[in-house]
Amino acid sequence: MHLVVAVCALLTLSSCSVIKETVDGAKEGFREAEALRISNSTVAQINSGHYTLALPMLEKAILLAPNNPYIQKNLGITLVAAGDPKRAINFLQKALVSLPTDSSLIQEISLAYVRMGMFEKARQELELYSAKSGDHSAAIIAHIRALREQER
């Protein structure tokens, strides 16, 4: 940043603001890249069921890139598996806004509601997704049917 100030002293004010924006953009890009690196490093842990090892790393990644839908998704999946479905729903729903065709997200949201004993809400989420997306795949329909049975 000191270099930016020194260079700005030599340039016009408009040039200085362009340089500052460039530096700020580079910093943001670095944070995003570091967050993705951290998140990606947890995938093997998540897939092998070591959620308690992955969780602190994903929480660090989300602080670096709070709006990254892939990090939101990984954190949400890990929170569901680690037994914190209420907190997971927030991250999964945020990710779904950016990734609306990702059926695994809606299935994770539904699973989170199931883990909280909210079978009707889980079913409603799946039905809404199916209606909006036109996804009538066997997996979605099977989940909806299973949840209807749980409600009885």
Side-chain angles (χ1 to χ4, degrees):
M1 193 61 153
H2 299 309
L3 178 60
V4 171
V5 172
V7 171
C8 287
L10 300 173
L11 300 172
T12 66
L13 187 56
S14 64
S15 296
C16 182
S17 66
V18 170
I19 291 172
K20 184 180 179 326
E21 287 175 18
T22 302
V23 170
D24 290 346
K27 287 179 183 177
E28 182 62 30
F30 175 77
R31 280 192 295 273
E32 185 85 15
E34 178 63 7
L36 284 170
R37 185 197 64 75
I38 292 168
S39 180
N40 291 341
S41 73
T42 66
V43 172
Q45 294 168 333
I46 294 167
N47 290 340
S48 62
H50 296 103
Y51 308 111
T52 55
L53 295 175
L55 195 53
M57 294 172 67
L58 287 166
E59 287 173 334
K60 180 179 179 181
I62 204 72
L63 290 174
L64 292 170
N67 297 318
N68 184 293
Y70 300 102
I71 297 170
Q72 292 167 340
K73 178 181 177 178
N74 286 347
L75 180 55
I77 289 169
T78 302
L79 286 166
V80 170
D84 195 352
K86 187 174 184 179
R87 190 167 157 229
I89 288 171
N90 179 48
F91 291 107
L92 294 168
Q93 288 177 330
K94 285 180 183 177
L96 189 61
V97 170
S98 298
L99 305 169
T101 60
D102 187 337
S103 65
S104 68
L105 275 168
I106 199 64
Q107 290 176 23
E108 284 293 328
I109 291 169
S110 180
L111 177 60
Y113 282 120
V114 166
R115 296 264 168 96
M116 293 188 308
M118 300 172 69
F119 301 106
E120 182 178 357
K121 181 69 175 161
R123 179 188 48 77
Q124 289 170 346
E125 289 287 331
L126 284 170
E127 288 175 342
L128 180 64
Y129 169 78
S130 181
K132 278 183 175 177
S133 68
D135 183 348
H136 305 294
S137 64
I140 296 290
I141 300 304
H143 279 106
I144 291 170
R145 286 185 184 138
L147 289 166
R148 281 187 185 136
E149 289 298 316
Q150 287 290 328
E151 290 176 46
R152 294 180 186 173

